[in-house]
Amino acid sequence: MDVRRTTVRDMRRSNRSALLTTIYREGLLSRHELGHRTSLSAASVSNLVSELIAEGVVEEAGSVDSEGGRPRILLRVSPAFRYVAGAEVGETRVRVELFDLAMNVLARADHQIDTTSPTVVVKHVLEGLAAVIASSGVRSELILGLGVAVAGVVEGNEVVDAQTLGWDAVPLRRMLAEGTEVPIQVDNGANMLGQAEMWFGAGRGATDAVVALIGSGVGAALVADGSSYRGTRSSAGEWGHMTIAYGGRRCRCGAAGCLEAYVGAEAVLERYREAGGVVPAADEETAFVELLDAVGTSEVAARIVDDTVGYLAAGVANLVNLVNPERIVLGGWAGLLLGERYLPRLREAVGEHALRQPYAQVTIELCELGRDAVALGAATLPVLRLLRDGGVVPSRS
């Protein structure tokens, strides 16, 4: 093997990756600005950008005036170069979305589920993928990949262990790959929410952050010095299973006193029923909204919601003290419903539990990308691979 040739090829791909990632993450940039951002020479930037344009990965998108010179041509990743899909596997539904490379939603498919059996989940993910391809008119060979976000610990982009779902070493990627030629990548749902918010939403610009996901269950994505922190075997961020009350309520994971047993939507509704509250809605999300709406007329609802905000504040304060982030972003469908109504109270309560100095250094914000952010984050998995490979599309053969 020609080591020198391999080294030159690898360096060229690394430089392409640096340029492409900078264009994608920072928006419209000129060649001159790219040189400053990447520390590559003007000649290297010119040559590599010309390559990327010729291959259709990058395109020119207007110009801006420069001081005393010719207008500078702005560059962007071509939205229609390829397409990506993202799937969110929740406990009550499976959502699949198709995006262009500007992350515009082209098609969406939702399936309500009453069981989280792996075979049922795989069936609905594949049906959703087929549906968004058909409705968008995009040829399947132009789809870079499908990212799948799921609760639980994901090892090696393959095996999922999710105690709350009853999954034990489920080979999810392989099961999905048997039903489609679209490349599959699998990751934890909270991490995918975190990636979406750090790239496009409330986390942008932060280098040390926590993105919290509160839905039926509870999780978090940890970002340290600009990089996702996963721990030894990718299980870091299981914030929902931090003990909040010694000897407390039994959690779905089997342990007692977990944060999830107090602030996860399923547990909140269970506490409401035990206190005598009536939950007429059949689906969890509607029931949670009805609980919040009842606060003004029901003492039981007011007490349960007030306790929930308090438990959540204690959990967030633990993050402040333990991680010392500059920003905490609250997301997930239940997190957004709570945050939209009680964020000022939550911030105040966090201050009552957290140490003074780290609390003064953190901001607590709501997720900016809405309830679809997990699927969006999952769709960034194939985008990330494209950026790392310098715009080279891997062969499916």
Short mmCIF file of all heavy atoms in Angstrom, two decimals, residues 201-266:
data_model
loop_
_atom_site.label_atom_id
_atom_site.label_comp_id
_atom_site.label_asym_id
_atom_site.label_seq_id
_atom_site.Cartn_x
_atom_site.Cartn_y
_atom_site.Cartn_z
N GLY A 201 -31.08 24.96 17.29
CA GLY A 201 -32.05 25.54 18.22
C GLY A 201 -31.46 26.29 19.39
O GLY A 201 -30.48 27.03 19.25
N ALA A 202 -32.03 26.06 20.56
CA ALA A 202 -31.70 26.84 21.75
C ALA A 202 -30.30 26.59 22.28
O ALA A 202 -29.81 27.35 23.11
CB ALA A 202 -32.72 26.56 22.85
N GLY A 203 -29.64 25.53 21.83
CA GLY A 203 -28.30 25.24 22.30
C GLY A 203 -27.19 25.85 21.47
O GLY A 203 -26.01 25.76 21.85
N ARG A 204 -27.53 26.48 20.35
CA ARG A 204 -26.50 27.02 19.46
C ARG A 204 -25.61 28.03 20.19
O ARG A 204 -26.09 28.90 20.91
CB ARG A 204 -27.13 27.70 18.25
CG ARG A 204 -27.79 26.73 17.29
CD ARG A 204 -28.12 27.39 15.97
NE ARG A 204 -26.91 27.67 15.19
CZ ARG A 204 -26.92 28.16 13.95
NH1 ARG A 204 -28.07 28.45 13.37
NH2 ARG A 204 -25.80 28.38 13.32
N GLY A 205 -24.31 27.88 20.00
CA GLY A 205 -23.35 28.80 20.60
C GLY A 205 -22.86 28.36 21.96
O GLY A 205 -21.85 28.89 22.45
N ALA A 206 -23.52 27.40 22.60
CA ALA A 206 -23.08 26.92 23.91
C ALA A 206 -22.07 25.79 23.73
O ALA A 206 -22.17 24.99 22.80
CB ALA A 206 -24.27 26.41 24.72
N THR A 207 -21.09 25.74 24.62
CA THR A 207 -20.09 24.65 24.57
C THR A 207 -20.30 23.63 25.68
O THR A 207 -19.87 22.50 25.56
CB THR A 207 -18.67 25.21 24.67
OG1 THR A 207 -18.54 25.97 25.87
CG2 THR A 207 -18.35 26.10 23.47
N ASP A 208 -20.97 24.03 26.76
CA ASP A 208 -21.28 23.12 27.86
C ASP A 208 -22.76 23.26 28.17
O ASP A 208 -23.21 24.30 28.67
CB ASP A 208 -20.44 23.45 29.09
CG ASP A 208 -18.96 23.19 28.85
OD1 ASP A 208 -18.51 22.06 29.10
OD2 ASP A 208 -18.27 24.12 28.38
N ALA A 209 -23.51 22.23 27.86
CA ALA A 209 -24.97 22.34 27.95
C ALA A 209 -25.59 21.00 28.31
O ALA A 209 -24.98 19.94 28.16
CB ALA A 209 -25.54 22.85 26.62
N VAL A 210 -26.83 21.07 28.76
CA VAL A 210 -27.66 19.89 28.97
C VAL A 210 -28.98 20.14 28.26
O VAL A 210 -29.60 21.19 28.46
CB VAL A 210 -27.91 19.60 30.46
CG1 VAL A 210 -28.81 18.38 30.61
CG2 VAL A 210 -26.61 19.39 31.21
N VAL A 211 -29.39 19.20 27.45
CA VAL A 211 -30.70 19.28 26.80
C VAL A 211 -31.56 18.17 27.41
O VAL A 211 -31.25 16.99 27.27
CB VAL A 211 -30.60 19.12 25.28
CG1 VAL A 211 -31.99 19.24 24.65
CG2 VAL A 211 -29.66 20.18 24.69
N ALA A 212 -32.60 18.57 28.13
CA ALA A 212 -33.44 17.63 28.87
C ALA A 212 -34.68 17.28 28.07
O ALA A 212 -35.32 18.16 27.49
CB ALA A 212 -33.84 18.24 30.22
N LEU A 213 -35.02 16.00 28.04
CA LEU A 213 -36.21 15.51 27.35
C LEU A 213 -37.18 14.97 28.38
O LEU A 213 -36.83 14.06 29.14
CB LEU A 213 -35.84 14.43 26.33
CG LEU A 213 -36.97 13.89 25.45
CD1 LEU A 213 -36.38 13.32 24.15
CD2 LEU A 213 -37.80 12.81 26.13
N ILE A 214 -38.38 15.53 28.40
CA ILE A 214 -39.41 15.05 29.30
C ILE A 214 -40.65 14.71 28.49
O ILE A 214 -41.29 15.59 27.91
CB ILE A 214 -39.75 16.09 30.38
CG1 ILE A 214 -38.49 16.45 31.16
CG2 ILE A 214 -40.82 15.56 31.34
CD1 ILE A 214 -38.66 17.61 32.09
N GLY A 215 -40.96 13.44 28.41
CA GLY A 215 -42.16 12.96 27.75
C GLY A 215 -42.80 11.95 28.68
O GLY A 215 -42.97 12.22 29.86
N SER A 216 -43.14 10.78 28.15
CA SER A 216 -43.59 9.71 29.04
C SER A 216 -42.47 9.36 30.00
O SER A 216 -42.68 9.11 31.19
CB SER A 216 -43.98 8.47 28.23
OG SER A 216 -45.07 8.76 27.39
N GLY A 217 -41.24 9.32 29.47
CA GLY A 217 -40.05 9.11 30.27
C GLY A 217 -39.21 10.36 30.32
O GLY A 217 -39.61 11.42 29.82
N VAL A 218 -38.03 10.25 30.89
CA VAL A 218 -37.16 11.41 31.11
C VAL A 218 -35.72 11.04 30.76
O VAL A 218 -35.24 9.96 31.15
CB VAL A 218 -37.23 11.87 32.58
CG1 VAL A 218 -36.25 13.01 32.85
CG2 VAL A 218 -38.65 12.28 32.95
N GLY A 219 -35.04 11.91 30.03
CA GLY A 219 -33.63 11.69 29.70
C GLY A 219 -32.94 13.02 29.47
O GLY A 219 -33.56 14.08 29.55
N ALA A 220 -31.66 12.96 29.15
CA ALA A 220 -30.92 14.20 28.91
C ALA A 220 -29.73 13.92 28.00
O ALA A 220 -29.17 12.82 28.01
CB ALA A 220 -30.43 14.81 30.23
N ALA A 221 -29.36 14.92 27.23
CA ALA A 221 -28.14 14.88 26.43
C ALA A 221 -27.13 15.81 27.09
O ALA A 221 -27.47 16.95 27.42
CB ALA A 221 -28.42 15.34 25.00
N LEU A 222 -25.91 15.33 27.27
CA LEU A 222 -24.86 16.11 27.91
C LEU A 222 -23.85 16.55 26.85
O LEU A 222 -23.39 15.73 26.05
CB LEU A 222 -24.14 15.28 28.98
CG LEU A 222 -25.02 14.60 30.03
CD1 LEU A 222 -24.15 13.80 30.99
CD2 LEU A 222 -25.86 15.62 30.78
N VAL A 223 -23.53 17.82 26.85
CA VAL A 223 -22.55 18.37 25.92
C VAL A 223 -21.44 19.02 26.75
O VAL A 223 -21.70 19.91 27.56
CB VAL A 223 -23.18 19.40 24.97
CG1 VAL A 223 -22.12 20.00 24.05
CG2 VAL A 223 -24.29 18.75 24.16
N ALA A 224 -20.21 18.55 26.57
CA ALA A 224 -19.06 19.06 27.31
C ALA A 224 -18.01 19.54 26.33
O ALA A 224 -17.58 18.79 25.45
CB ALA A 224 -18.47 17.97 28.21
N ASP A 225 -17.62 20.79 26.46
CA ASP A 225 -16.60 21.39 25.60
C ASP A 225 -16.95 21.22 24.12
O ASP A 225 -16.09 20.93 23.29
CB ASP A 225 -15.22 20.79 25.90
CG ASP A 225 -14.08 21.63 25.35
OD1 ASP A 225 -14.29 22.84 25.12
OD2 ASP A 225 -12.98 21.08 25.12
N GLY A 226 -18.23 21.35 23.81
CA GLY A 226 -18.68 21.30 22.42
C GLY A 226 -18.94 19.93 21.86
O GLY A 226 -19.38 19.79 20.73
N SER A 227 -18.68 18.88 22.65
CA SER A 227 -18.87 17.51 22.16
C SER A 227 -19.86 16.76 23.04
O SER A 227 -19.93 16.97 24.25
CB SER A 227 -17.53 16.75 22.14
OG SER A 227 -16.61 17.39 21.28
N SER A 228 -20.60 15.85 22.41
CA SER A 228 -21.54 15.02 23.15
C SER A 228 -20.78 14.10 24.10
O SER A 228 -19.81 13.45 23.71
CB SER A 228 -22.36 14.18 22.17
OG SER A 228 -23.20 13.28 22.85
N TYR A 229 -21.22 14.07 25.35
CA TYR A 229 -20.60 13.17 26.33
C TYR A 229 -21.49 11.95 26.49
O TYR A 229 -22.65 12.06 26.88
CB TYR A 229 -20.40 13.88 27.68
CG TYR A 229 -19.80 12.95 28.71
CD1 TYR A 229 -18.45 12.63 28.66
CD2 TYR A 229 -20.59 12.37 29.69
CE1 TYR A 229 -17.89 11.74 29.58
CE2 TYR A 229 -20.05 11.49 30.62
CZ TYR A 229 -18.69 11.19 30.54
OH TYR A 229 -18.15 10.30 31.44
N ARG A 230 -20.94 10.76 26.17
CA ARG A 230 -21.72 9.54 26.17
C ARG A 230 -21.37 8.58 27.30
O ARG A 230 -22.09 7.62 27.54
CB ARG A 230 -21.54 8.81 24.83
CG ARG A 230 -21.93 9.60 23.59
CD ARG A 230 -23.40 9.99 23.61
NE ARG A 230 -23.84 10.64 22.40
CZ ARG A 230 -24.44 10.03 21.40
NH1 ARG A 230 -24.66 8.73 21.46
NH2 ARG A 230 -24.82 10.70 20.34
N GLY A 231 -20.23 8.77 27.95
CA GLY A 231 -19.81 7.83 28.97
C GLY A 231 -19.10 6.63 28.37
O GLY A 231 -18.83 6.56 27.17
N THR A 232 -18.79 5.63 29.21
CA THR A 232 -18.00 4.48 28.78
C THR A 232 -18.70 3.66 27.71
O THR A 232 -18.10 3.26 26.72
CB THR A 232 -17.70 3.57 29.99
OG1 THR A 232 -17.01 4.34 30.97
CG2 THR A 232 -16.83 2.38 29.58
N ARG A 233 -20.01 3.39 27.90
CA ARG A 233 -20.75 2.55 26.95
C ARG A 233 -22.05 3.23 26.51
O ARG A 233 -23.07 2.55 26.33
CB ARG A 233 -21.05 1.18 27.59
CG ARG A 233 -19.82 0.39 28.01
CD ARG A 233 -18.94 0.00 26.84
NE ARG A 233 -19.57 -0.97 25.97
CZ ARG A 233 -19.51 -2.30 26.17
NH1 ARG A 233 -18.87 -2.78 27.22
NH2 ARG A 233 -20.09 -3.12 25.33
N SER A 234 -22.00 4.53 26.34
CA SER A 234 -23.11 5.30 25.75
C SER A 234 -24.33 5.44 26.64
O SER A 234 -25.41 5.80 26.14
CB SER A 234 -23.54 4.70 24.40
OG SER A 234 -22.50 4.80 23.47
N SER A 235 -24.21 5.20 27.93
CA SER A 235 -25.40 5.32 28.77
C SER A 235 -25.42 6.60 29.60
O SER A 235 -26.32 6.79 30.43
CB SER A 235 -25.52 4.11 29.71
OG SER A 235 -24.49 4.12 30.69
N ALA A 236 -24.46 7.51 29.40
CA ALA A 236 -24.50 8.78 30.11
C ALA A 236 -25.75 9.55 29.71
O ALA A 236 -26.22 9.45 28.57
CB ALA A 236 -23.25 9.60 29.80
N GLY A 237 -26.29 10.32 30.63
CA GLY A 237 -27.47 11.12 30.33
C GLY A 237 -28.77 10.49 30.78
O GLY A 237 -29.84 11.04 30.52
N GLU A 238 -28.70 9.35 31.49
CA GLU A 238 -29.94 8.75 32.01
C GLU A 238 -30.37 9.51 33.26
O GLU A 238 -30.50 8.95 34.36
CB GLU A 238 -29.72 7.26 32.29
CG GLU A 238 -29.59 6.41 31.04
CD GLU A 238 -30.89 6.34 30.24
OE1 GLU A 238 -31.97 6.64 30.80
OE2 GLU A 238 -30.83 5.98 29.05
N TRP A 239 -30.60 10.78 33.07
CA TRP A 239 -30.97 11.70 34.15
C TRP A 239 -32.29 11.29 34.80
O TRP A 239 -32.47 11.46 36.01
CB TRP A 239 -31.07 13.11 33.55
CG TRP A 239 -31.57 14.19 34.42
CD1 TRP A 239 -31.09 14.56 35.66
CD2 TRP A 239 -32.65 15.08 34.13
NE1 TRP A 239 -31.80 15.63 36.14
CE2 TRP A 239 -32.76 15.98 35.21
CE3 TRP A 239 -33.50 15.23 33.04
CZ2 TRP A 239 -33.70 16.99 35.25
CZ3 TRP A 239 -34.44 16.24 33.06
CH2 TRP A 239 -34.54 17.10 34.16
N GLY A 240 -33.19 10.73 34.04
CA GLY A 240 -34.48 10.33 34.58
C GLY A 240 -34.37 9.26 35.65
O GLY A 240 -35.31 9.07 36.44
N HIS A 241 -33.24 8.56 35.69
CA HIS A 241 -33.07 7.49 36.68
C HIS A 241 -32.08 7.88 37.76
O HIS A 241 -31.51 7.02 38.44
CB HIS A 241 -32.72 6.19 35.96
CG HIS A 241 -33.78 5.81 34.97
ND1 HIS A 241 -35.02 5.38 35.36
CD2 HIS A 241 -33.81 5.90 33.61
CE1 HIS A 241 -35.77 5.19 34.28
NE2 HIS A 241 -35.06 5.50 33.22
N MET A 242 -31.90 9.19 37.92
CA MET A 242 -31.22 9.73 39.10
C MET A 242 -32.20 9.65 40.27
O MET A 242 -33.37 10.01 40.14
CB MET A 242 -30.82 11.18 38.84
CG MET A 242 -30.29 11.92 40.05
SD MET A 242 -29.97 13.66 39.67
CE MET A 242 -28.54 13.49 38.58
N THR A 243 -31.74 9.15 41.42
CA THR A 243 -32.63 9.04 42.57
C THR A 243 -32.94 10.42 43.13
O THR A 243 -32.04 11.17 43.50
CB THR A 243 -31.99 8.17 43.67
OG1 THR A 243 -31.71 6.87 43.14
CG2 THR A 243 -32.91 8.04 44.87
N ILE A 244 -34.22 10.75 43.19
CA ILE A 244 -34.66 12.05 43.69
C ILE A 244 -35.30 11.92 45.07
O ILE A 244 -35.42 12.90 45.81
CB ILE A 244 -35.65 12.70 42.69
CG1 ILE A 244 -35.74 14.22 42.92
CG2 ILE A 244 -37.02 12.07 42.77
CD1 ILE A 244 -34.54 14.97 42.42
N ALA A 245 -35.72 10.69 45.43
CA ALA A 245 -36.35 10.47 46.74
C ALA A 245 -35.97 9.06 47.21
O ALA A 245 -36.44 8.07 46.64
CB ALA A 245 -37.86 10.62 46.66
N TYR A 246 -35.16 8.99 48.24
CA TYR A 246 -34.75 7.68 48.76
C TYR A 246 -35.97 6.90 49.24
O TYR A 246 -36.81 7.41 49.99
CB TYR A 246 -33.77 7.86 49.92
CG TYR A 246 -33.38 6.56 50.59
CD1 TYR A 246 -32.52 5.67 49.95
CD2 TYR A 246 -33.90 6.22 51.84
CE1 TYR A 246 -32.18 4.46 50.55
CE2 TYR A 246 -33.56 5.03 52.44
CZ TYR A 246 -32.70 4.14 51.79
OH TYR A 246 -32.37 2.94 52.38
N GLY A 247 -36.09 5.67 48.74
CA GLY A 247 -37.24 4.85 49.11
C GLY A 247 -38.55 5.35 48.55
O GLY A 247 -39.63 5.04 49.07
N GLY A 248 -38.47 6.13 47.47
CA GLY A 248 -39.66 6.76 46.92
C GLY A 248 -40.47 5.86 46.00
O GLY A 248 -40.40 4.63 46.06
N ARG A 249 -41.22 6.48 45.11
CA ARG A 249 -42.12 5.77 44.22
C ARG A 249 -41.35 4.81 43.32
O ARG A 249 -40.22 5.08 42.91
CB ARG A 249 -42.89 6.76 43.33
CG ARG A 249 -43.83 7.69 44.10
CD ARG A 249 -44.50 8.66 43.15
NE ARG A 249 -45.30 7.95 42.16
CZ ARG A 249 -46.55 7.55 42.35
NH1 ARG A 249 -47.15 7.78 43.51
NH2 ARG A 249 -47.22 6.92 41.41
N ARG A 250 -41.99 3.70 43.00
CA ARG A 250 -41.37 2.72 42.12
C ARG A 250 -41.37 3.25 40.69
O ARG A 250 -42.40 3.69 40.18
CB ARG A 250 -42.13 1.40 42.19
CG ARG A 250 -41.51 0.25 41.41
CD ARG A 250 -40.19 -0.18 41.99
NE ARG A 250 -40.27 -0.57 43.39
CZ ARG A 250 -39.22 -0.91 44.13
NH1 ARG A 250 -38.00 -0.89 43.58
NH2 ARG A 250 -39.37 -1.26 45.38
N CYS A 251 -40.21 3.21 40.06
CA CYS A 251 -40.07 3.65 38.68
C CYS A 251 -40.30 2.49 37.72
O CYS A 251 -40.18 1.31 38.11
CB CYS A 251 -38.67 4.24 38.48
SG CYS A 251 -38.32 4.83 36.81
N ARG A 252 -40.57 2.80 36.49
CA ARG A 252 -40.76 1.75 35.48
C ARG A 252 -39.51 0.94 35.26
O ARG A 252 -39.57 -0.20 34.77
CB ARG A 252 -41.21 2.38 34.16
CG ARG A 252 -42.52 3.13 34.24
CD ARG A 252 -42.92 3.71 32.90
NE ARG A 252 -41.90 4.58 32.36
CZ ARG A 252 -41.92 5.05 31.12
NH1 ARG A 252 -42.90 4.71 30.31
NH2 ARG A 252 -40.97 5.86 30.70
N CYS A 253 -38.34 1.50 35.61
CA CYS A 253 -37.09 0.75 35.44
C CYS A 253 -36.91 -0.29 36.53
O CYS A 253 -36.02 -1.14 36.43
CB CYS A 253 -35.90 1.71 35.43
SG CYS A 253 -35.48 2.39 37.05
N GLY A 254 -37.74 -0.25 37.57
CA GLY A 254 -37.64 -1.21 38.66
C GLY A 254 -37.05 -0.63 39.93
O GLY A 254 -37.20 -1.21 41.01
N ALA A 255 -36.35 0.50 39.83
CA ALA A 255 -35.76 1.12 41.01
C ALA A 255 -36.79 2.00 41.71
O ALA A 255 -37.88 2.27 41.18
CB ALA A 255 -34.54 1.95 40.62
N ALA A 256 -36.45 2.47 42.90
CA ALA A 256 -37.36 3.32 43.67
C ALA A 256 -36.82 4.74 43.74
O ALA A 256 -35.62 4.94 43.93
CB ALA A 256 -37.55 2.75 45.08
N GLY A 257 -37.71 5.71 43.59
CA GLY A 257 -37.35 7.11 43.80
C GLY A 257 -36.71 7.82 42.63
O GLY A 257 -36.15 8.91 42.80
N CYS A 258 -36.79 7.26 41.41
CA CYS A 258 -36.19 7.92 40.24
C CYS A 258 -36.95 9.21 39.91
O CYS A 258 -38.15 9.33 40.14
CB CYS A 258 -36.25 7.02 39.01
SG CYS A 258 -35.24 5.54 39.12
N LEU A 259 -36.23 10.17 39.34
CA LEU A 259 -36.85 11.42 38.90
C LEU A 259 -38.00 11.14 37.94
O LEU A 259 -39.05 11.79 38.01
CB LEU A 259 -35.79 12.31 38.22
CG LEU A 259 -36.28 13.63 37.65
CD1 LEU A 259 -36.76 14.56 38.77
CD2 LEU A 259 -35.17 14.31 36.83
N GLU A 260 -37.83 10.17 37.05
CA GLU A 260 -38.88 9.83 36.08
C GLU A 260 -40.17 9.43 36.77
O GLU A 260 -41.26 9.65 36.24
CB GLU A 260 -38.39 8.71 35.16
CG GLU A 260 -39.37 8.34 34.07
CD GLU A 260 -38.81 7.34 33.08
OE1 GLU A 260 -37.77 7.65 32.45
OE2 GLU A 260 -39.39 6.25 32.96
N ALA A 261 -40.07 8.83 37.96
CA ALA A 261 -41.26 8.38 38.68
C ALA A 261 -42.06 9.56 39.24
O ALA A 261 -43.16 9.36 39.79
CB ALA A 261 -40.86 7.44 39.81
N TYR A 262 -41.52 10.77 39.12
CA TYR A 262 -42.20 11.96 39.63
C TYR A 262 -42.51 12.99 38.55
O TYR A 262 -43.47 13.75 38.71
CB TYR A 262 -41.35 12.62 40.73
CG TYR A 262 -41.24 11.76 41.97
CD1 TYR A 262 -40.23 10.81 42.09
CD2 TYR A 262 -42.18 11.86 42.99
CE1 TYR A 262 -40.14 10.00 43.22
CE2 TYR A 262 -42.11 11.06 44.12
CZ TYR A 262 -41.09 10.12 44.23
OH TYR A 262 -41.02 9.32 45.34
N VAL A 263 -41.73 13.05 37.48
CA VAL A 263 -41.96 14.10 36.47
C VAL A 263 -42.25 13.54 35.08
O VAL A 263 -42.66 14.31 34.20
CB VAL A 263 -40.79 15.10 36.41
CG1 VAL A 263 -40.52 15.71 37.77
CG2 VAL A 263 -39.52 14.47 35.85
N GLY A 264 -42.03 12.26 34.83
CA GLY A 264 -42.43 11.69 33.55
C GLY A 264 -43.95 11.76 33.43
O GLY A 264 -44.68 11.60 34.42
N ALA A 265 -44.45 12.03 32.24
CA ALA A 265 -45.89 12.25 32.06
C ALA A 265 -46.72 11.08 32.56
O ALA A 265 -47.77 11.28 33.21
CB ALA A 265 -46.19 12.53 30.58
N GLU A 266 -46.29 9.87 32.28
CA GLU A 266 -47.05 8.70 32.74
C GLU A 266 -47.15 8.68 34.26
O GLU A 266 -48.22 8.42 34.82
CB GLU A 266 -46.36 7.43 32.23
CG GLU A 266 -47.07 6.15 32.64
CD GLU A 266 -46.38 4.91 32.11
OE1 GLU A 266 -46.15 4.85 30.88
OE2 GLU A 266 -46.08 4.01 32.92
#
